[in-house]
Amino acid sequence: MGSSEPVGASRPEPEPSAPGREAPAAEREPLILSVQHFCIHDGPGVRSLVFFKGCPLRCAWCQNPESWSPRAQLGFKPHLCIACRTCVEVCPNKAVTAPGVRDHGRCRLCFTCVDHCPSGAMVRFGEPRSVESIVDELRPEFPLFRQSGGGVTLSGGEPTMFPRFAADLARRLKAEGIHVAMETCGEFDLAAAGDLLASLDLVLFDIKVFDDAEQRRWCGVGNNRIKANLRAMVAAAAQGKGPRVWPRMPLIPEAIDTPRNFDKWGGLLQELGIPRMTLVPYHNLGDAKRDWLGISAVSLVKSDPDRTAAGHPRRVPGVDSCAPGEEVF
Amino acid sequence: MQAQVARSAAPADFPEPSERISRLRATMLSTPYSVCLERPSLLAAFAGSPEGRRARVEHPLVRRAMALAHIFANRRPHVYPDELIIGNMTSKRIAANYYPEGGSVNILEDIFRLERRQIPLFLTPAEKWRLVGLGLRGLPGSVAGRALLKPGRLGRFLDFFRAKRYFITEEAGVGHQVGNYMMAVRQGLRPADEEAAARLAAGTLADGTPLDSDTTAFFRSVRVTIDGIRKMTANLAAEAEREAARPDVSPERRAELLESAEACRHVPYEPARTFLEGLQACWLVHVAMNLEDFEQGMSFGRLDQILWPLYQADIAAGRLTATRATEILASFELKTCETMPLYSERIDQYFSGNGVAQGITMGGTDADGNDVTNELSGLILDAYAQCRTREPALHVRVHAGTPAWLLDKAVRVVQLGCGKPSFFGDPVVVRALEEVGMTKAHARDYAIIGCVELASQGRTYNSSDACLFNLPMCLERALIKGRGTLRTFDEVVSAFRAETRSAVDDMAMVMGWLEETYRVWRPTPVTSIMTEGCLAKGRDVTWGGGLYDYTSIQAAGFADAADSLYALKKMVFEDRRFTLDEFVGILQSDFRGQEALRVELATRLPRYGNGQPEADAMAQVAADAFSDAVRAHRNTRGGQYIPGFYSMTCHYGFGRMTGALPDGRPAGHRLSNGLSPVDGVERRGPTAVLRSAASLDSRAWANCCALNLKFDKKVVEGPAGRHALASLFRTYFAGGGMQVQVNVLDADMLRAAKEDPASDPGIVVRVAGYCAYFRDLQPAVQDEIIERTAHGLE
Ligand code: SF4
Ligand code: SF4
């Protein structure tokens, strides 16, 4: 603490610099990381999560580092590799020199190796998907969503990076009577997200480090806009003009899980009249995913899932808090 | 501000067990297992006695009834401390009964290492000698011995030990019944006894048909048997009275013992007058049924329905409270732990788990389809939550009208992590039973036999676990035999169907020999008394007396067969990556030098269990091949053969015998389990697994199926997990699901999955805020989850 050096992974990622991959001015078509089924801790009922690829933050503790870049990425899961060397043989650019060893400069992200890898060790992160194909994949689960009072949660990554696509998806689901929630880090252009927000029932709003400079140090981006968006969205919800807003806070030791940070958030949340929130236990599962992506782990934060209130009561003053899955939405 | 969120408090969700139940439970959990030699000793003594010599010239039905009555009348009664339902299942607190006329002799394979088995058995050296003597003497007289130790059939006898294509469980016994406990409790056995007497006096059946020597013998066997049961229960009553008279017995306990004695002097011959007597009647008849044939799958049926009027009357009269009823039920449920199966370790690989599956069915509808869930449905679950023992087996029927509270309570029991109860979808089950000739009203009165099998309670003689069948091996054989001749995928399917048919034909022939032997050497008068139809027809169930009669064959390796068909279709006939002969050659070499291909087959193709229609369509092809082959047969009693899709643990035993399969499964590896997808191929979570299963046409599956879901405790805990599971089940059953059971994982299962990722059945675990496939986690994270599971940490 105290240093102004960023602790997060705002370092350059090992990615090829193929032409045409820089963000165009208009909204790019999102890549979808995955659709995860039978989730019960990300909104009410039984839900499916649609993970968007791309995030403006680079939190040091991120559990989904494959969701940072909005571009498709190549990953390698060493525990699945059977060392058959197919990847070495099929790469048209001779970028793979040995299983799991890739010359990033040569790789053109053609994913030939992924198509041919027999074991699924070579993986592609991020697929272009149409709204229809996502809705079609989810449709067989609609009866379960209805039965359980669940629905779909847009997650990521950061869905607000793709406001048109996300709004379209949310609208299509709403039209079929499906409850739609979104998880967001709060760092987005509120005006651009108007349509999207209007199509949502619930926003799970991640709150992290209260202090702007501190958050910048941990996450690469400060949080003045995040707090402003939170204020505006809560105000809109209060007037019935926007989705319900439910804050969630990951319990990151040192950075977030500190009495001072709790107190400060407590002040703001009380001021906004937010009665309830979720505290999300932290686990560094993300480290494995960093290995798959070839990003060195920022192992600053140790896994401590069973840590109890060491030294402070872990209460956000004035706000009822509960664990994921215990919310009464 | 006070927290307004619902907190999870699983143990507190259930009423606390009384001290008595805690003590009884502790006893049942700490008592070592043994083998009871009383039954075979009594049989041997009977054979040598003057009465036994007289019996030898009697009709087989009477001869058998006399032997059984001798066992009933002469076994020593034991009344144990604290218990509210009395009647010892064996001569020891927990032991396997020994059936020389069945398959018990297999235990001699382990005779030198009984205490060192995975499930240790403790016998004194003298008992071991006695066991060997009884075992060897009994072998030629066992059903398998009598049926198969004959010229021309010896090969089949050895097949029993090879167990490649099928495993004929019926050689050990039929067992597996849901007797007419409704009759035993509400009318008692007296009407059956009097009916038999009346028939004998009149010399005709109820419909006027004159009795012949067989029907005469049947009615005599009924009377002899009931007389034996009455002696057994009188002896038990006397023992309870002796206990009560002991000076060191407390007044409260004395009153209980006298109440039990009074009950045993009354039931099961007379109708039960109280809730306690109702359960006591069930237990006494259950003991008799166990001593008669063998212990597997002897089930109680819909106890919440059977006992309901007695419960209501007791409550209304102020004789009983819900708390006391729960305690009586818990005492009853703990009684079911007194018995266990007797398997050698070799056989145990097919039926592992030390279960006998004494089923209790809850919920469901009446004959008109109205929900009949009642308070007792819940109390039975409450009682189990206090016991958490390996027995009994619990089953919940689900239909659109099932009240939310029952499903919620049942899921709370699932959350305890004992793998119980299992759930059954009424509409689909009832439809399947109607397909095999039951009236709608009778189908709606179904109860579960043992683990998952089906009967209209008290009306059905279903040899429901007659045989387990290795379905993928039929495909393996068809491919090998068909080398050079099979040109299209349709021809492959035809060859597979033909091979399946021929294996079932073979098996049915052996079964026929067993059925004949049963009729002569091992008829079952107790089961016949407890099965509607027998008294009307004057026939033992083994002679076709039951109102409904079936023989059931279960497929193991269903999903492996399905996925293998898909892989063949895709790789050989669509993508033309190989010729069929090349592919079969690769399989015969067990993928030697072709690991990449094997892994590709195993991981990259669509598989049954992911909601993918192209893969699920092949599952239907595999299911139909089996169903059609099975349904083509009738047993020698005239009953229909029906298919089931469950595998006990035969998928391990069969797997060892089965070569490499087109779905990438290496030779010797275990097969898929029941109706579940192949381990590790589910990629889209439990909703997709259930969707695939429910998409199959199950009308032919009158012996049901077993679909296992496995969850990390963290995924299903708390109110959110409970609500999710309940919703999942409702949606599954509304969508055509037949059966589902949930295992909440224990640390050993996770350790196994870590050691051998190929064994990981797509386990979903919760890592902090995330759910992930266990196999996708880093070893260190896996370790943490194993730790957490082992210690039950939050
Ligand atoms: S193709 Fe896949 S399995 Fe084979 S060496 Fe490459 S990464 Fe490993
Ligand atoms: S993505 Fe294409 S260029 Fe890159 S390593 Fe794979 S095959 Fe080679």
mmCIF file of all heavy atoms in Angstrom, chain B residues 516-550:
data_model
loop_
_atom_site.group_PDB
_atom_site.id
_atom_site.type_symbol
_atom_site.label_atom_id
_atom_site.label_comp_id
_atom_site.label_asym_id
_atom_site.label_seq_id
_atom_site.Cartn_x
_atom_site.Cartn_y
_atom_site.Cartn_z
ATOM 1 N N GLU B 516 -38.380 -72.652 -13.882
ATOM 2 C CA GLU B 516 -38.881 -74.020 -13.627
ATOM 3 C C GLU B 516 -38.394 -74.510 -12.273
ATOM 4 O O GLU B 516 -39.138 -75.118 -11.504
ATOM 5 C CB GLU B 516 -38.341 -74.994 -14.681
ATOM 6 C CG GLU B 516 -38.989 -74.894 -16.033
ATOM 7 C CD GLU B 516 -38.147 -75.606 -17.105
ATOM 8 O OE1 GLU B 516 -37.291 -76.453 -16.736
ATOM 9 O OE2 GLU B 516 -38.336 -75.284 -18.284
ATOM 10 N N THR B 517 -37.132 -74.239 -12.008
ATOM 11 C CA THR B 517 -36.555 -74.714 -10.755
ATOM 12 C C THR B 517 -37.217 -74.040 -9.562
ATOM 13 O O THR B 517 -37.475 -74.667 -8.541
ATOM 14 C CB THR B 517 -35.038 -74.440 -10.755
ATOM 15 O OG1 THR B 517 -34.511 -74.880 -11.996
ATOM 16 C CG2 THR B 517 -34.360 -75.160 -9.611
ATOM 17 N N TYR B 518 -37.495 -72.750 -9.719
ATOM 18 C CA TYR B 518 -38.187 -72.036 -8.634
ATOM 19 C C TYR B 518 -39.514 -72.691 -8.304
ATOM 20 O O TYR B 518 -39.875 -72.853 -7.143
ATOM 21 C CB TYR B 518 -38.433 -70.570 -9.018
ATOM 22 C CG TYR B 518 -37.296 -69.678 -8.622
ATOM 23 C CD1 TYR B 518 -36.362 -69.244 -9.539
ATOM 24 C CD2 TYR B 518 -37.149 -69.284 -7.293
ATOM 25 C CE1 TYR B 518 -35.302 -68.454 -9.165
ATOM 26 C CE2 TYR B 518 -36.089 -68.486 -6.908
ATOM 27 C CZ TYR B 518 -35.166 -68.077 -7.855
ATOM 28 O OH TYR B 518 -34.124 -67.303 -7.473
ATOM 29 N N ARG B 519 -40.237 -73.064 -9.328
ATOM 30 C CA ARG B 519 -41.582 -73.616 -9.097
ATOM 31 C C ARG B 519 -41.508 -74.881 -8.250
ATOM 32 O O ARG B 519 -42.395 -75.144 -7.460
ATOM 33 C CB ARG B 519 -42.267 -73.911 -10.433
ATOM 34 C CG ARG B 519 -42.842 -72.665 -11.074
ATOM 35 C CD ARG B 519 -43.816 -72.987 -12.178
ATOM 36 N NE ARG B 519 -43.150 -73.234 -13.459
ATOM 37 C CZ ARG B 519 -42.681 -72.271 -14.239
ATOM 38 N NH1 ARG B 519 -42.804 -71.004 -13.871
ATOM 39 N NH2 ARG B 519 -42.101 -72.558 -15.371
ATOM 40 N N VAL B 520 -40.433 -75.639 -8.454
ATOM 41 C CA VAL B 520 -40.342 -76.903 -7.725
ATOM 42 C C VAL B 520 -39.615 -76.737 -6.395
ATOM 43 O O VAL B 520 -40.037 -77.248 -5.368
ATOM 44 C CB VAL B 520 -39.615 -77.955 -8.588
ATOM 45 C CG1 VAL B 520 -39.490 -79.273 -7.823
ATOM 46 C CG2 VAL B 520 -40.357 -78.157 -9.897
ATOM 47 N N TRP B 521 -38.545 -75.998 -6.391
ATOM 48 C CA TRP B 521 -37.669 -75.982 -5.225
ATOM 49 C C TRP B 521 -37.746 -74.720 -4.382
ATOM 50 O O TRP B 521 -37.262 -74.702 -3.262
ATOM 51 C CB TRP B 521 -36.211 -76.206 -5.662
ATOM 52 C CG TRP B 521 -36.048 -77.560 -6.255
ATOM 53 C CD1 TRP B 521 -35.914 -77.877 -7.572
ATOM 54 C CD2 TRP B 521 -36.054 -78.804 -5.543
ATOM 55 N NE1 TRP B 521 -35.829 -79.232 -7.741
ATOM 56 C CE2 TRP B 521 -35.911 -79.825 -6.507
ATOM 57 C CE3 TRP B 521 -36.181 -79.152 -4.198
ATOM 58 C CZ2 TRP B 521 -35.874 -81.177 -6.161
ATOM 59 C CZ3 TRP B 521 -36.144 -80.493 -3.861
ATOM 60 C CH2 TRP B 521 -35.996 -81.497 -4.837
ATOM 61 N N ARG B 522 -38.276 -73.687 -4.926
ATOM 62 C CA ARG B 522 -38.211 -72.450 -4.166
ATOM 63 C C ARG B 522 -39.452 -71.582 -4.387
ATOM 64 O O ARG B 522 -39.339 -70.387 -4.658
ATOM 65 C CB ARG B 522 -36.960 -71.684 -4.576
ATOM 66 C CG ARG B 522 -36.395 -70.821 -3.468
ATOM 67 C CD ARG B 522 -35.174 -70.118 -3.988
ATOM 68 N NE ARG B 522 -34.677 -69.156 -3.034
ATOM 69 C CZ ARG B 522 -33.705 -68.309 -3.294
ATOM 70 N NH1 ARG B 522 -33.124 -68.309 -4.476
ATOM 71 N NH2 ARG B 522 -33.299 -67.468 -2.387
ATOM 72 N N PRO B 523 -40.627 -72.156 -4.293
ATOM 73 C CA PRO B 523 -41.809 -71.298 -4.382
ATOM 74 C C PRO B 523 -41.830 -70.359 -3.180
ATOM 75 O O PRO B 523 -41.134 -70.592 -2.186
ATOM 76 C CB PRO B 523 -42.981 -72.286 -4.348
ATOM 77 C CG PRO B 523 -42.438 -73.512 -3.701
ATOM 78 C CD PRO B 523 -40.978 -73.554 -4.021
ATOM 79 N N THR B 524 -42.635 -69.309 -3.257
ATOM 80 C CA THR B 524 -42.587 -68.278 -2.214
ATOM 81 C C THR B 524 -43.987 -67.992 -1.700
ATOM 82 O O THR B 524 -44.638 -67.050 -2.145
ATOM 83 C CB THR B 524 -41.931 -67.002 -2.758
ATOM 84 O OG1 THR B 524 -42.443 -66.735 -4.070
ATOM 85 C CG2 THR B 524 -40.441 -67.143 -2.862
ATOM 86 N N PRO B 525 -44.433 -68.806 -0.749
ATOM 87 C CA PRO B 525 -45.803 -68.631 -0.252
ATOM 88 C C PRO B 525 -46.037 -67.297 0.437
ATOM 89 O O PRO B 525 -47.142 -66.747 0.336
ATOM 90 C CB PRO B 525 -45.968 -69.801 0.732
ATOM 91 C CG PRO B 525 -44.582 -70.283 1.043
ATOM 92 C CD PRO B 525 -43.767 -69.973 -0.174
ATOM 93 N N VAL B 526 -45.048 -66.760 1.153
ATOM 94 C CA VAL B 526 -45.296 -65.476 1.825
ATOM 95 C C VAL B 526 -45.564 -64.404 0.780
ATOM 96 O O VAL B 526 -46.539 -63.637 0.865
ATOM 97 C CB VAL B 526 -44.100 -65.055 2.715
ATOM 98 C CG1 VAL B 526 -44.465 -63.793 3.494
ATOM 99 C CG2 VAL B 526 -43.688 -66.160 3.675
ATOM 100 N N THR B 527 -44.696 -64.349 -0.234
ATOM 101 C CA THR B 527 -44.899 -63.379 -1.307
ATOM 102 C C THR B 527 -46.253 -63.619 -1.984
ATOM 103 O O THR B 527 -46.935 -62.667 -2.367
ATOM 104 C CB THR B 527 -43.751 -63.490 -2.328
ATOM 105 O OG1 THR B 527 -42.516 -63.260 -1.651
ATOM 106 C CG2 THR B 527 -43.893 -62.476 -3.444
ATOM 107 N N SER B 528 -46.640 -64.870 -2.101
ATOM 108 C CA SER B 528 -47.917 -65.168 -2.757
ATOM 109 C C SER B 528 -49.090 -64.656 -1.933
ATOM 110 O O SER B 528 -50.050 -64.112 -2.477
ATOM 111 C CB SER B 528 -48.048 -66.675 -2.982
ATOM 112 O OG SER B 528 -46.954 -67.144 -3.743
ATOM 113 N N ILE B 529 -49.017 -64.821 -0.623
ATOM 114 C CA ILE B 529 -50.061 -64.289 0.253
ATOM 115 C C ILE B 529 -50.109 -62.766 0.109
ATOM 116 O O ILE B 529 -51.176 -62.155 0.152
ATOM 117 C CB ILE B 529 -49.774 -64.679 1.725
ATOM 118 C CG1 ILE B 529 -49.897 -66.200 1.893
ATOM 119 C CG2 ILE B 529 -50.689 -63.939 2.691
ATOM 120 C CD1 ILE B 529 -49.212 -66.744 3.138
ATOM 121 N N MET B 530 -48.926 -62.172 -0.080
ATOM 122 C CA MET B 530 -48.805 -60.712 -0.132
ATOM 123 C C MET B 530 -49.010 -60.163 -1.548
ATOM 124 O O MET B 530 -48.745 -58.987 -1.796
ATOM 125 C CB MET B 530 -47.432 -60.289 0.392
ATOM 126 C CG MET B 530 -47.289 -60.452 1.902
ATOM 127 S SD MET B 530 -48.318 -59.294 2.817
ATOM 128 C CE MET B 530 -47.320 -57.797 2.663
ATOM 129 N N THR B 531 -49.432 -61.009 -2.500
ATOM 130 C CA THR B 531 -49.621 -60.534 -3.869
ATOM 131 C C THR B 531 -51.031 -60.872 -4.341
ATOM 132 O O THR B 531 -51.419 -62.044 -4.363
ATOM 133 C CB THR B 531 -48.582 -61.176 -4.812
ATOM 134 O OG1 THR B 531 -47.283 -60.922 -4.294
ATOM 135 C CG2 THR B 531 -48.685 -60.585 -6.209
ATOM 136 N N GLU B 532 -51.765 -59.835 -4.713
ATOM 137 C CA GLU B 532 -53.128 -60.026 -5.185
ATOM 138 C C GLU B 532 -53.125 -60.947 -6.403
ATOM 139 O O GLU B 532 -52.228 -60.864 -7.241
ATOM 140 C CB GLU B 532 -53.711 -58.660 -5.571
ATOM 141 C CG GLU B 532 -55.213 -58.578 -5.489
ATOM 142 C CD GLU B 532 -55.694 -57.181 -5.854
ATOM 143 O OE1 GLU B 532 -55.177 -56.210 -5.281
ATOM 144 O OE2 GLU B 532 -56.558 -57.074 -6.728
ATOM 145 N N GLY B 533 -54.125 -61.794 -6.481
ATOM 146 C CA GLY B 533 -54.237 -62.680 -7.639
ATOM 147 C C GLY B 533 -53.980 -64.129 -7.278
ATOM 148 O O GLY B 533 -54.604 -65.035 -7.816
ATOM 149 N N CYS B 534 -53.057 -64.350 -6.337
ATOM 150 C CA CYS B 534 -52.666 -65.728 -6.037
ATOM 151 C C CYS B 534 -53.806 -66.517 -5.406
ATOM 152 O O CYS B 534 -54.062 -67.670 -5.781
ATOM 153 C CB CYS B 534 -51.449 -65.740 -5.121
ATOM 154 S SG CYS B 534 -49.986 -65.079 -5.923
ATOM 155 N N LEU B 535 -54.505 -65.902 -4.450
ATOM 156 C CA LEU B 535 -55.588 -66.625 -3.781
ATOM 157 C C LEU B 535 -56.742 -66.875 -4.746
ATOM 158 O O LEU B 535 -57.393 -67.921 -4.693
ATOM 159 C CB LEU B 535 -56.063 -65.841 -2.554
ATOM 160 C CG LEU B 535 -55.154 -65.982 -1.333
ATOM 161 C CD1 LEU B 535 -55.462 -64.910 -0.312
ATOM 162 C CD2 LEU B 535 -55.289 -67.362 -0.691
ATOM 163 N N ALA B 536 -56.966 -65.918 -5.641
ATOM 164 C CA ALA B 536 -58.050 -66.100 -6.605
ATOM 165 C C ALA B 536 -57.714 -67.234 -7.569
ATOM 166 O O ALA B 536 -58.582 -68.040 -7.914
ATOM 167 C CB ALA B 536 -58.295 -64.798 -7.359
ATOM 168 N N LYS B 537 -56.440 -67.303 -7.989
ATOM 169 C CA LYS B 537 -56.071 -68.313 -8.980
ATOM 170 C C LYS B 537 -55.638 -69.620 -8.327
ATOM 171 O O LYS B 537 -55.466 -70.618 -9.012
ATOM 172 C CB LYS B 537 -54.908 -67.794 -9.833
ATOM 173 C CG LYS B 537 -55.274 -66.634 -10.750
ATOM 174 C CD LYS B 537 -54.113 -66.328 -11.696
ATOM 175 C CE LYS B 537 -53.835 -64.837 -11.730
ATOM 176 N NZ LYS B 537 -52.614 -64.495 -12.469
ATOM 177 N N GLY B 538 -55.387 -69.581 -7.008
ATOM 178 C CA GLY B 538 -54.894 -70.778 -6.346
ATOM 179 C C GLY B 538 -53.471 -71.110 -6.770
ATOM 180 O O GLY B 538 -53.084 -72.267 -6.807
ATOM 181 N N ARG B 539 -52.704 -70.109 -7.057
ATOM 182 C CA ARG B 539 -51.347 -70.356 -7.543
ATOM 183 C C ARG B 539 -50.313 -69.503 -6.811
ATOM 184 O O ARG B 539 -50.553 -68.316 -6.556
ATOM 185 C CB ARG B 539 -51.270 -70.007 -9.033
ATOM 186 C CG ARG B 539 -51.588 -71.200 -9.914
ATOM 187 C CD ARG B 539 -51.259 -70.866 -11.336
ATOM 188 N NE ARG B 539 -52.498 -70.816 -12.116
ATOM 189 C CZ ARG B 539 -52.642 -70.116 -13.226
ATOM 190 N NH1 ARG B 539 -51.634 -69.382 -13.677
ATOM 191 N NH2 ARG B 539 -53.774 -70.132 -13.865
ATOM 192 N N ASP B 540 -49.185 -70.107 -6.565
ATOM 193 C CA ASP B 540 -48.029 -69.377 -6.036
ATOM 194 C C ASP B 540 -47.569 -68.357 -7.089
ATOM 195 O O ASP B 540 -47.782 -68.549 -8.284
ATOM 196 C CB ASP B 540 -46.910 -70.392 -5.766
ATOM 197 C CG ASP B 540 -45.757 -69.794 -4.975
ATOM 198 O OD1 ASP B 540 -44.833 -69.236 -5.606
ATOM 199 O OD2 ASP B 540 -45.789 -69.877 -3.740
ATOM 200 N N VAL B 541 -46.909 -67.288 -6.619
ATOM 201 C CA VAL B 541 -46.415 -66.309 -7.596
ATOM 202 C C VAL B 541 -45.453 -66.948 -8.599
ATOM 203 O O VAL B 541 -45.435 -66.575 -9.779
ATOM 204 C CB VAL B 541 -45.712 -65.099 -6.925
ATOM 205 C CG1 VAL B 541 -46.710 -64.117 -6.355
ATOM 206 C CG2 VAL B 541 -44.705 -65.528 -5.884
ATOM 207 N N THR B 542 -44.672 -67.915 -8.138
ATOM 208 C CA THR B 542 -43.712 -68.524 -9.073
ATOM 209 C C THR B 542 -44.430 -69.397 -10.106
ATOM 210 O O THR B 542 -43.839 -69.804 -11.095
ATOM 211 C CB THR B 542 -42.681 -69.394 -8.318
ATOM 212 O OG1 THR B 542 -43.373 -70.406 -7.583
ATOM 213 C CG2 THR B 542 -41.837 -68.558 -7.378
ATOM 214 N N TRP B 543 -45.707 -69.671 -9.843
ATOM 215 C CA TRP B 543 -46.521 -70.429 -10.804
ATOM 216 C C TRP B 543 -47.410 -69.496 -11.626
ATOM 217 O O TRP B 543 -48.308 -69.941 -12.323
ATOM 218 C CB TRP B 543 -47.412 -71.443 -10.066
ATOM 219 C CG TRP B 543 -46.664 -72.568 -9.418
ATOM 220 C CD1 TRP B 543 -45.645 -72.467 -8.523
ATOM 221 C CD2 TRP B 543 -46.872 -73.971 -9.630
ATOM 222 N NE1 TRP B 543 -45.196 -73.713 -8.154
ATOM 223 C CE2 TRP B 543 -45.943 -74.663 -8.817
ATOM 224 C CE3 TRP B 543 -47.754 -74.717 -10.417
ATOM 225 C CZ2 TRP B 543 -45.862 -76.057 -8.774
ATOM 226 C CZ3 TRP B 543 -47.680 -76.100 -10.359
ATOM 227 C CH2 TRP B 543 -46.736 -76.768 -9.549
ATOM 228 N N GLY B 544 -47.189 -68.221 -11.485
ATOM 229 C CA GLY B 544 -47.976 -67.275 -12.277
ATOM 230 C C GLY B 544 -49.214 -66.766 -11.565
ATOM 231 O O GLY B 544 -50.176 -66.343 -12.204
ATOM 232 N N GLY B 545 -49.201 -66.771 -10.221
ATOM 233 C CA GLY B 545 -50.389 -66.378 -9.479
ATOM 234 C C GLY B 545 -50.631 -64.876 -9.418
ATOM 235 O O GLY B 545 -51.759 -64.433 -9.205
ATOM 236 N N GLY B 546 -49.590 -64.076 -9.598
ATOM 237 C CA GLY B 546 -49.721 -62.630 -9.412
ATOM 238 C C GLY B 546 -50.656 -61.997 -10.435
ATOM 239 O O GLY B 546 -50.752 -62.451 -11.574
ATOM 240 N N LEU B 547 -51.358 -60.949 -10.017
ATOM 241 C CA LEU B 547 -52.257 -60.236 -10.933
ATOM 242 C C LEU B 547 -51.461 -59.691 -12.126
ATOM 243 O O LEU B 547 -51.890 -59.792 -13.268
ATOM 244 C CB LEU B 547 -52.944 -59.099 -10.173
ATOM 245 C CG LEU B 547 -53.959 -58.282 -10.959
ATOM 246 C CD1 LEU B 547 -55.087 -59.165 -11.471
ATOM 247 C CD2 LEU B 547 -54.539 -57.176 -10.062
ATOM 248 N N TYR B 548 -50.316 -59.099 -11.828
ATOM 249 C CA TYR B 548 -49.409 -58.657 -12.888
ATOM 250 C C TYR B 548 -48.100 -59.411 -12.709
ATOM 251 O O TYR B 548 -47.630 -59.569 -11.584
ATOM 252 C CB TYR B 548 -49.146 -57.155 -12.805
ATOM 253 C CG TYR B 548 -50.390 -56.318 -12.987
ATOM 254 C CD1 TYR B 548 -50.934 -55.620 -11.924
ATOM 255 C CD2 TYR B 548 -51.003 -56.240 -14.236
ATOM 256 C CE1 TYR B 548 -52.082 -54.849 -12.087
ATOM 257 C CE2 TYR B 548 -52.149 -55.465 -14.408
ATOM 258 C CZ TYR B 548 -52.687 -54.776 -13.331
ATOM 259 O OH TYR B 548 -53.815 -54.018 -13.505
ATOM 260 N N ASP B 549 -47.549 -59.864 -13.810
ATOM 261 C CA ASP B 549 -46.339 -60.673 -13.731
ATOM 262 C C ASP B 549 -45.331 -60.179 -14.761
ATOM 263 O O ASP B 549 -45.665 -60.032 -15.942
ATOM 264 C CB ASP B 549 -46.700 -62.151 -13.994
ATOM 265 C CG ASP B 549 -45.514 -63.076 -13.751
ATOM 266 O OD1 ASP B 549 -44.441 -62.822 -14.322
ATOM 267 O OD2 ASP B 549 -45.667 -64.048 -12.981
ATOM 268 N N TYR B 550 -44.143 -59.898 -14.307
ATOM 269 C CA TYR B 550 -43.099 -59.416 -15.225
ATOM 270 C C TYR B 550 -41.748 -60.019 -14.864
ATOM 271 O O TYR B 550 -41.523 -60.451 -13.737
ATOM 272 C CB TYR B 550 -42.946 -57.886 -15.156
ATOM 273 C CG TYR B 550 -44.235 -57.137 -15.323
ATOM 274 C CD1 TYR B 550 -44.872 -56.559 -14.233
ATOM 275 C CD2 TYR B 550 -44.818 -57.021 -16.585
ATOM 276 C CE1 TYR B 550 -46.072 -55.875 -14.384
ATOM 277 C CE2 TYR B 550 -46.026 -56.344 -16.745
ATOM 278 C CZ TYR B 550 -46.640 -55.770 -15.640
ATOM 279 O OH TYR B 550 -47.827 -55.097 -15.791
#
